[in-house]
Amino acid sequence: MPSALFAPLPLRAVTLPNRIVMAPMCQYSAEPSGPQVGVPTDWHVQHYGSRAVGRPGLVLVEATAVSPEGRISPYDLGLWNAAQVSGHRRLTALMRQQGVVPGVQLAHAGRKASTGRPSDGGGALAPEEGLGWQVLAPSALPFADGSPLPEALPPERIGEVVAQFAAAARRAVEAGYEAVEVHAAHGYLLHEFLSPLSNHRTDSYGGSFEGRARLVLEVVDAVRGAVGDDVPVLTRLSATDWAEPEGWTADDTVRLSGLLREHGVDVVHVSTGGNVPDATIPVGPGYQVPFAARVRREAGVTTAAVGLVRDPQHAEQLVAEGEADLVALGRELLLDPYWPVRAARELGADWSLPPQYDRAELLARRDERTASSATTA
């Protein structure tokens, strides 16, 4: 029987060659200031080039800020100017050469912005330190003890954020990206608007579910308008704050996912958490898959499941049994850039490394046959 994981998936004018997605993972490796701020570097070229050689169906480039103040750290990628567009073209060209669909995640970090790199110890960067800036949020509520106090976005500035997402989406297409993901998860700005734990507004962008979801839908509409009808739009959601019933819930996610489908979103990429610093999360293999399965079933939208899916047989089962349409891998692809090729071998699918590596591929298959013959002899 053909592998479900390696079946193509049409999305508008794009067809993914398989159902494996490289999830966005920040590298914190861009220049923090100067003319090359936010521009992909040689590190990004080798990092994404290596994963493209492994040939997942879709590579989603890490959270890429729609504005300088939307960066998580000063070392994030951006798409708010022309120099950044040129840098991103290096990445998209590499991916297309390997038959991989290049995608990018557009993001605004909100109250979790202006932090140091994890390798430098993280922590908030104060504006007076030079690299930090004033952070923004739906309400003047810090993320955690010791986090900076954000400025509550006034209504007239919310429109600026929508316009920044739209402009970044246009630049993404100009840079060669064939899919765009709107980041509305993990406690960043759009998720902050969704959750009643971080959104205490009393205007039309707060209060009810409809008010809290308003900004996400406006951003999605603006991005869809910016990229046109042929480009797939994904939205990443945190299905729960892991703080029910006070926080954002799985029921809310199903309801929002149906609206996103109506507003032109093609895939809902289902994650969890990130908005509550002390949340208790039952982490384990596939721990977020049930949320993706419910969104797919109840909202009638194509979904990507993510969350410690490491075993090819597990990934195959998720797609074959209709738990998700796509399987996104994060840390596993950091450890093994060629995971899709290993999965293809295990599942008997016709998927291989580029021809430059044919010799290694042929030797590996010969060794497998030899080992099999020795076992059965």
Side-chain angles (χ1 to χ4, degrees):
M1 180 180 295
S3 166
L5 188 64
F6 284 88
L9 179 66
L11 295 172
R12 295 188 182 259
V14 174
T15 297
L16 306 186
N18 60 54
R19 308 301 183 92
I20 303 168
V21 178
M22 178 178 170
M25 291 173 285
C26 291
Q27 296 298 293
Y28 303 108
S29 297
E31 290 296 326
S33 59
Q36 295 297 301
V37 64
V39 175
T41 64
D42 289 345
W43 173 264
H44 296 98
V45 171
Q46 70 79 27
H47 171 66
Y48 289 106
S50 297
R51 275 75 200 167
V53 166
R55 294 180 168 176
L58 171 67
V59 169
L60 289 172
V61 168
E62 65 202 78
T64 298
V66 300
S67 64
E69 65 273 14
R71 293 173 292 171
I72 302 167
S73 83
Y75 303 92
D76 287 14
L77 294 181
L79 266 173
W80 68 80
N81 66 37
Q84 293 159 349
V85 171
S86 297
H88 279 274
R89 285 194 183 118
R90 299 174 70 196
L91 307 183
T92 59
L94 276 169
M95 294 181 214
R96 284 197 302 274
Q97 287 169 7
Q98 299 305 324
V100 173
V101 174
V104 63
Q105 184 185 73
L106 302 180
H108 191 301
R111 65 180 182 172
K112 294 176 76 173
S114 190
T115 62
R117 291 182 291 194
S119 59
D120 295 333
L125 299 176
E128 55 269 21
E129 294 176 1
L131 288 178
W133 58 89
Q134 174 63 52
V135 300
L136 304 169
S139 303
L141 300 169
F143 171 64
D145 292 342
S147 297
L149 181 68
E151 175 189 348
L153 271 166
E156 61 272 16
R157 291 197 63 189
I158 292 178
E160 294 177 12
V161 172
V162 176
Q164 289 165 352
F165 270 94
R170 282 190 291 272
R171 293 187 186 100
V173 173
E174 184 182 349
Y177 288 109
E178 298 174 18
V180 172
E181 179 172 274
V182 174
H183 198 358
H186 300 163
Y188 299 123
L189 184 67
L190 298 185
H191 182 184
E192 292 164 19
F193 269 85
L194 290 172
S195 174
L197 296 178
S198 46
N199 184 346
H200 291 186
R201 300 177 75 95
T202 57
D203 62 8
S204 60
Y205 287 94
S208 66
F209 170 91
E210 291 81 4
R212 289 181 282 111
R214 179 180 174 185
L215 178 57
V216 172
L217 296 177
E218 288 183 353
V219 166
V220 162
D221 286 344
V223 168
R224 168 55 66 207
V227 302
D229 293 335
D230 291 342
V231 176
V233 173
L234 300 83
T235 302
R236 195 169 203 188
L237 298 179
S238 283
T240 175
D241 283 336
W242 297 106
E244 299 192 23
E246 295 85 3
W248 181 255
T249 70
D251 289 344
D252 294 328
T253 296
V254 170
R255 184 177 177 186
L256 177 60
S257 296
L259 292 173
L260 290 170
R261 175 178 52 80
E262 294 173 4
H263 283 253
V265 167
D266 302 289
V267 179
V268 176
H269 186 176
V270 185
S271 188
T272 64
N275 200 39
V276 177
D278 55 354
T280 300
I281 303 176
V283 175
Y287 70 105
Q288 296 173 148
V289 170
F291 297 102
R294 185 179 169 196
V295 167
R296 185 177 190 269
R297 182 175 63 250
E298 297 182 25
V301 64
T302 300
T303 60
V306 66
L308 296 183
V309 178
R310 293 169 170 164
D311 179 65
Q313 296 290 345
H314 185 197
E316 172 76 10
Q317 178 184 356
L318 295 181
V319 179
E321 296 184 357
E323 298 291 288
D325 301 278
L326 295 157
V327 178
L329 283 76
R331 281 167 282 182
E332 195 64 19
L333 283 177
L334 293 183
L335 297 172
D336 181 4
Y338 305 142
W339 188 96
V341 178
R342 177 164 63 87
R345 287 181 189 152
E346 289 191 23
L347 299 172
D350 183 17
W351 202 250
S352 62
L353 290 164
Q356 291 91 333
Y357 295 164
D358 273 350
R359 185 181 180 196
E361 182 75 12
L362 292 170
L363 290 174
R365 293 188 182 276
R366 185 202 65 184
D367 293 344
E368 289 171 1
R369 289 194 299 271
T370 302
S372 178
S373 298
T375 301
T376 57

